[in-house]
Amino acid sequence: MAASMKDIKARIDATRKTSQITKAMNMVSASKMKRAEKTITQFAVYMDKIEEVVSNITSSNGIDVDHPMLDKREVKKAAYVLVTSDRGLAGAYNSSVLKQFASDHKDFDHEAVVVTVGNKAHGYALSNNYKIINANSIHVKDDVTFHEVREICNKVVQMYMDGEIDKIVLYYNHYVNTLTQEVTKKTLLPIESKEVKQLSLYEFEGGAQSIIDNVLPMYVEDIVYGILLDAKASEHASRMTAMKSATDNALELIDTLQLYYNRARQASITLELTDIIGGANAVE
Amino acid sequence: MLRVSIATPTGEIYSSDIDMILIKSSAGEYAILESHIPIVSTIDKGYVKLRTGDNEKFVAINSGVVEQSTNIVTVIAQEAAVADSLAEAEAKLEELHQSMIEENKRKARDFAISEKDLHQNIKKAKAGDLI
């Protein structure tokens, strides 16, 4: 007999409770993910439009515009924004971002500072002695609002504008679908202008320079907002999948334990029977 | 006829066919009619007026871009509110703005409280440190 019946019973109960918790977490994440997905679709309409306008302005030939956000400077110091979650139990969600950054960090030929979104990134950066800009990790709520984005953006963008840093890169999990999230690096600043298929020749009311001055900061905020939404959806999807497999594993374990329990019970009955029969034989 | 669509980060809030759009920002105002040449302008804080026949709609805007080409007007705004009169639209936008800030504050406070609770409970249960 491997373990007593009482011990096995206790383990079954504990595992059952764990499975209930993981099941609940799975369902919570599923509903949060659905909401995040909806927000992304709504935001995509807006993002497509602003992207179109920005690429139209920045790639219009013959228009003399210049803005620090478009200048590619020699990179001496760069800021890296690591987007992770506050809590664990989300599968490889956090570790994949941090691993990717760590392996890239070794090859940097410039000074790197990090901005940490989420406790996990903050803890990691502290233990690896990275230079962190923010004193506490930036908390992002499950339903990301535009105001939070400004808080995150302003400081680091200001540093870029002041020439303190020459590049801003975001590391985050891009949401492909429920089962797949991939680590993505996105250069926020300087803005990488996209190729446009067809150029509209625009009249710039108020002058191209003033339009650029107004639109680019807005555009940067929008990109960050989009990325945070994307990362949130990935977090929920990743947690959902992780909790689903945790629940499955727990149920499987319960089945195995139940088998052991039955065997133990059978063994104890057999033992009792042999005792009784042995006793009866001795009396005769 | 112009086709107008107003988009905010929470999705498209208004879209319709109109006769004229008037754009007012701190830099001044101008209007777009049908067959205008492609144009781009920005609005820091202002509004747009949409006219169809005798019917008028106002959209109050914080940080936006107006773009027009091939008779399609796209208004992209970080915050916007639609109403039948300017005062109403502005009031609605202000309310939206305030409620967003309030909501944000409330949620941040709630989060801090529950976080503190959690830490206390973990300590009480002697479950070790939570990173």
Side-chain angles (χ1 to χ4, degrees):
Chain A
M1 208 173 14
S4 79
M5 278 164 65
K6 208 178 137 201
D7 287 345
I8 298 176
K9 190 90 189 144
R11 268 196 79 189
I12 291 178
D13 283 346
T15 318
R16 183 165 290 132
K17 272 178 196 152
T18 311
S19 80
Q20 278 165 356
I21 293 169
T22 53
K23 181 114 193 269
M25 285 180 79
N26 165 266
M27 290 195 298
V28 169
S29 295
S31 83
K32 278 184 180 167
M33 191 196 73
K34 242 176 234 157
R35 215 179 323 150
E37 228 175 6
K38 202 178 137 213
T39 330
I40 289 180
T41 357
Q42 286 170 340
F43 181 70
V45 182
Y46 172 89
M47 198 63 207
D48 282 350
K49 280 175 182 163
I50 192 157
E51 214 149 57
E52 201 185 302
V53 172
V54 169
S55 24
N56 256 316
I57 305 171
T58 51
S59 55
S60 290
N61 292 326
I63 297 169
D64 191 24
V65 286
D66 103 276
H67 194 275
M69 285 183 177
L70 294 167
D71 288 348
K72 281 199 171 58
R73 300 193 288 242
E74 194 199 332
V75 181
K76 288 191 203 98
K77 190 171 170 187
Y80 294 88
V81 184
L82 307 177
V83 185
T84 61
S85 67
D86 280 340
R87 295 267 175 274
L89 293 180
Y93 176 78
N94 293 314
S95 62
S96 55
V97 166
L98 299 174
K99 240 184 239 162
Q100 179 71 48
F101 178 70
S103 80
D104 288 354
H105 188 267
K106 275 183 284 183
D107 304 329
F108 287 158
D109 51 3
H110 51 262
E111 203 185 329
V113 288
V114 296
V115 179
T116 55
V117 179
N119 282 338
K120 292 287 165 187
H122 202 73
Y124 183 83
L126 280 178
S127 63
N128 280 282
N129 289 323
Y130 293 148
K131 227 173 137 196
I132 311 171
I133 297 178
N134 43 320
N136 291 309
S137 79
I138 299 162
H139 165 63
V140 177
K141 284 194 280 291
D142 282 341
D143 41 348
V144 194
T145 55
F146 225 95
H147 290 272
E148 289 173 302
V149 175
R150 291 211 180 119
E151 282 168 35
I152 297 171
C153 262
N154 282 352
K155 193 171 175 186
V156 65
V157 169
Q158 195 52 49
M159 281 176 81
Y160 177 86
M161 296 298 280
D162 292 345
E164 240 179 279
I165 47 177
D166 308 301
K167 197 169 137 190
I168 304 174
V169 182
L170 285 113
Y171 278 71
Y172 68 103
N173 271 295
H174 170 57
Y175 176 80
V176 184
N177 56 43
T178 321
L179 291 171
T180 325
Q181 294 89 39
E182 51 190 35
V183 180
T184 311
K185 289 175 262 184
K186 163 99 185 159
T187 307
L188 183 67
L189 287 173
I191 292 169
E192 292 163 333
S193 49
K194 285 200 185 89
E195 292 289 314
V196 261
K197 278 163 265 157
Q198 106 195 60
L199 270 181
S200 320
L201 283 169
Y202 281 109
E203 174 86 355
F204 295 104
E205 179 68 35
Q209 187 61 51
S210 101
I211 303 255
I212 284 277
D213 289 347
N214 284 316
V215 173
L216 290 186
M218 223 174 109
Y219 180 55
V220 168
E221 282 176 11
D222 293 339
I223 295 177
V224 175
Y225 181 67
I227 284 174
L228 289 181
L229 286 181
D230 198 351
K232 268 293 163 195
S234 301
E235 183 190 333
H236 295 316
S238 181
R239 179 163 294 133
M240 192 181 96
T241 327
M243 288 302 109
K244 173 90 178 65
S245 53
T247 314
D248 290 350
N249 286 341
L251 294 178
E252 206 175 292
L253 187 63
I254 290 173
D255 282 351
T256 322
L257 287 172
Q258 190 68 50
L259 210 65
Y260 285 141
Y261 178 78
N262 291 347
R263 253 185 232 157
R265 192 175 59 108
Q266 197 62 56
S268 78
I269 291 168
T270 318
L271 197 71
E272 266 173 47
L273 277 177
T274 22
D275 263 1
I276 294 164
I277 295 164
N281 282 345
V283 171
E284 271 172 28
Chain B
M1 217 47 154
L2 287 163
R3 172 116 204 121
V4 69
S5 128
I6 294 160
T8 67
T10 48
E12 194 175 60
I13 56 164
Y14 188 80
S15 128
S16 125
D17 286 327
I18 54 158
D19 292 333
M20 185 204 86
I21 175 169
L22 182 126
I23 294 111
K24 167 91 176 77
S25 80
S26 62
E29 63 176 56
Y30 72 99
I32 300 174
L33 291 165
E34 202 183 323
S35 310
H36 198 288
I37 55 164
I39 190 164
V40 177
S41 77
T42 53
I43 302 174
D44 40 4
K45 198 168 167 56
Y47 64 90
V48 300
K49 183 164 90 174
L50 314 168
R51 181 185 287 162
T52 328
D54 289 335
N55 190 1
E56 283 186 347
K57 280 248 181 247
F58 288 85
V59 188
I61 286 167
N62 275 344
S63 317
V65 182
V66 180
E67 180 247 11
Q68 187 274 139
S69 58
T70 60
N71 285 332
I72 299 165
V73 186
T74 318
V75 181
I76 321 166
Q78 290 192 338
E79 287 176 320
V82 194
D84 290 331
S85 78
L86 179 59
E88 242 178 275
E90 276 174 346
K92 224 164 144 185
L93 183 66
E94 183 60 25
E95 198 189 307
L96 200 79
H97 190 72
Q98 286 306 327
S99 73
M100 280 259 274
I101 292 174
E102 281 295 309
E103 179 93 351
N104 229 27
K105 260 192 201 155
R106 192 179 56 77
K107 278 187 179 159
R109 202 174 47 224
D110 286 355
F111 178 79
I113 290 170
S114 52
E115 187 83 337
K116 202 178 137 212
D117 267 11
L118 179 68
H119 275 276
Q120 271 173 357
N121 280 324
I122 286 168
K123 224 175 177 180
K124 230 189 264 167
K126 294 190 178 128
D129 290 327
L130 188 89
I131 302 166

